[in-house]
Amino acid sequence: MHVPVQTIDREIWRDGVASEGRRLIPEETPLALTYNGGTYAVMMGTPQNLEDFAVGFSLSEGIVKSADDVRSLEVVRLDDGIELRMWLAPEEAARISERRRHIAGPTGCGICGIESIAEAVRPAAVVPQGQTFTPEQIMMAMQAIAPLQSINRQTRAVHAAAFWSPAKDGIVTLREDVGRHNALDKVAGALARNRTDAAGGMVLLTSRVSVEMVQKTAAIGAPVMVAVSAPTALAVRTAEAAGITLIAVARQDGFEVFSHGSRVVRRHAEEVADVA
């Protein structure tokens, strides 16, 4: 249960005919996030890139302010799950004890078990202006996701989140998970651990956009997020308040911009200057 993909025997019925075969399917494992000996949350997720997930979850939940606040991190594999064991500075640990909650819900649910409605709809951080992107760059970024989704190519059953930067000539990091929230947390952790400034790029999602995904993108500091599916109304309002350009329904023939469309430009200023 600690590998990301399993091979399963199954019976197949097609056109009224039965046969047997094997299929690769993604693993789903309980992931317990603990801080200074106390359990904060239990999430269901894909057992891969777990250090990134632990750091990213800690950042997006506001448990720590930077990756350096996690003094130590150990991945402890148990019989029935995996513990992501973290130790923080005493002052950080004291703050956690005041808001600790246990989350035991469906796959990757970011707010299951939250008792406070205010916590679920907390204001997102306001992102910096960042830079602008052309429609061609946005489409190119989304088209770059599929070739890098190794688990999804095998199973067709996991989400992906990625960070794309023109300065890095493409996708900087991509993470997969059965939970869309988890995939984005893994990207957040990878960016933080590598000291990557997110202000110059875009967050890319293969899932729909809920309010939690906007909150996590704001915590990352990315000014633009692009998703394959549509957003919720609350996600749009949250993106508007956070200063995030929310682009969704991104398909082969185009996309839709729901907030802060000024970051989407036909041509960059330097390109216009070259033409002049």
Side-chain angles (χ1 to χ4, degrees), residues 2 29-34 50-51 73-87:
H2 293 160
T29 303
L31 306 173
L33 295 110
T34 68
L50 296 180
E51 292 87 353
L73 168 59
E74 183 181 5
V75 177
V76 182
R77 300 181 183 274
L78 308 171
D79 290 339
D80 55 355
I82 300 174
E83 180 182 346
L84 305 179
R85 189 175 296 171
M86 288 168 278
W87 291 89

Side-chain angles (χ1 to χ4, degrees), residues 197-213:
D197 182 3
M202 298 182 286
V203 163
L204 313 176
L205 306 172
T206 62
S207 64
R208 68 180 178 88
V209 184
S210 59
V211 64
E212 311 98 300
M213 304 299 273

Side-chain angles (χ1 to χ4, degrees), residues 5-224:
V5 176
Q6 299 279 1
T7 302
I8 301 295
D9 295 322
R10 87 269 198 221
E11 185 177 0
I12 306 166
W13 283 85
R14 302 288 186 204
D15 298 322
V17 178
S19 62
E20 295 184 353
R22 311 190 82 188
R23 172 177 284 276
L24 293 172
I25 60 174
E27 184 57 82
E28 185 177 23
T29 303
L31 306 173
L33 295 110
T34 68
Y35 300 92
N36 291 47
T39 300
Y40 182 87
V42 179
M43 310 293 287
M44 301 302 295
T46 300
Q48 186 181 56
N49 304 120
L50 296 180
E51 292 87 353
D52 290 339
F53 174 58
V55 172
F57 179 91
S58 302
L59 288 166
S60 65
E61 285 289 302
I63 295 169
V64 299
K65 296 180 180 179
S66 75
D68 294 334
D69 292 337
V70 179
R71 299 292 181 86
S72 68
L73 168 59
E74 183 181 5
V75 177
V76 182
R77 300 181 183 274
L78 308 171
D79 290 339
D80 55 355
I82 300 174
E83 180 182 346
L84 305 179
R85 189 175 296 171
M86 288 168 278
W87 291 89
L88 312 178
E91 58 272 18
E92 298 289 342
R95 185 162 53 83
I96 291 176
S97 65
E98 297 177 1
R99 61 186 292 250
R100 177 174 288 131
R101 68 182 186 273
H102 294 270
I103 304 174
T107 300
C109 180
I111 61 173
C112 300
I114 292 181
E115 296 178 357
S116 169
I117 292 178
E119 174 69 13
V121 296
R122 67 186 185 276
V126 177
V127 303
Q129 177 58 33
Q131 66 179 71
T132 59
F133 300 91
T134 66
E136 291 75 18
Q137 286 179 312
I138 294 168
M139 297 298 294
M140 180 173 61
M142 292 302 289
Q143 291 168 4
I145 294 177
L148 300 178
Q149 287 186 262
S150 59
I151 298 178
N152 198 56
R153 282 202 308 272
Q154 299 176 73
T155 67
R156 302 299 180 191
V158 297
H159 295 289
F163 181 76
W164 186 92
S165 170
K168 301 293 185 179
D169 296 322
I171 289 182
V172 175
T173 185
L174 180 144
R175 296 291 183 265
E176 296 179 277
D177 201 281
V178 291
R180 57 196 172 91
H181 306 90
N182 297 347
L184 186 51
D185 277 336
K186 289 178 179 180
V187 168
L191 295 176
R193 296 174 70 205
N194 292 323
R195 304 293 193 272
T196 301
D197 182 3
M202 298 182 286
V203 163
L204 313 176
L205 306 172
T206 62
S207 64
R208 68 180 178 88
V209 184
S210 59
V211 64
E212 311 98 300
M213 304 299 273
V214 176
Q215 291 167 336
K216 291 178 186 295
T217 298
I220 290 172
V224 177

